[in-house]
Amino acid sequence: MRLVSLVTAGHAKTVRHSAVGKLVILHVHGPGDVLDGVGHGLGSTHSAGAYAMEHCRILSWELADFETLSRRFPVLLRNSMRILTQRMRTLEGRVHEFATERVPQRLARVLL
């Protein structure tokens, strides 16, 4: 089942396994964050798993229901596009960082 899930309380992390089987944390989500599902079309699957980091509350909709609601309420579609745009900008920034900065600089930024 494909879902669109929204964190309403607490924190969860999305993770993915690397090519060598290591678990990689993609993002830590808090209240108001969408875990996965936005932008997934027919035939697609979730690209990551989500795990609670503490007690949290999640609202989930089946993807087909969310798409129906998005057609009925255009603000949901606009918000989905805004979320996807933010994710793309974040990914662009990370790719740029990996391509142009040395490891010590990236590590220092994370630690600060």
Side-chain angles (χ1 to χ4, degrees):
M1 178 183 330
R2 295 174 316 200
L3 301 172
V4 175
S5 299
L6 175 74
V7 178
T8 61
H11 291 86
K13 60 184 173 183
T14 49
V15 298
R16 187 174 189 167
H17 286 88
S18 71
V20 295
K22 289 192 175 197
L23 200 61
V24 177
I25 297 173
L26 299 175
H27 193 75
V28 175
H29 302 275
D33 289 338
V34 175
L35 293 176
D36 199 5
V38 176
H40 287 260
L42 293 174
S44 67
T45 58
H46 288 278
S47 59
Y51 299 94
M53 296 177 64
E54 60 190 32
H55 179 75
C56 62
R57 191 173 33 233
I58 308 289
L59 287 178
S60 295
W61 298 266
E62 288 190 32
L63 186 56
D65 294 335
F66 188 81
E67 288 172 346
T68 299
L69 288 170
S70 293
R71 284 190 292 277
R72 186 169 174 200
F73 302 101
V75 70
L76 285 175
L77 183 59
R78 284 192 304 273
N79 285 341
S80 296
M81 293 303 295
R82 181 183 50 78
I83 290 167
L84 287 172
T85 300
Q86 287 175 339
R87 287 183 180 180
M88 286 301 297
R89 286 186 179 140
T90 299
L91 287 172
E92 287 173 351
R94 288 181 183 169
V95 168
H96 181 266
E97 180 180 301
F98 284 126
T100 61
E101 295 182 8
R102 295 181 15 240
V103 173
Q105 293 168 315
R106 293 194 318 252
L107 181 59
R109 181 179 297 113
V110 169
L111 294 174
L112 290 175

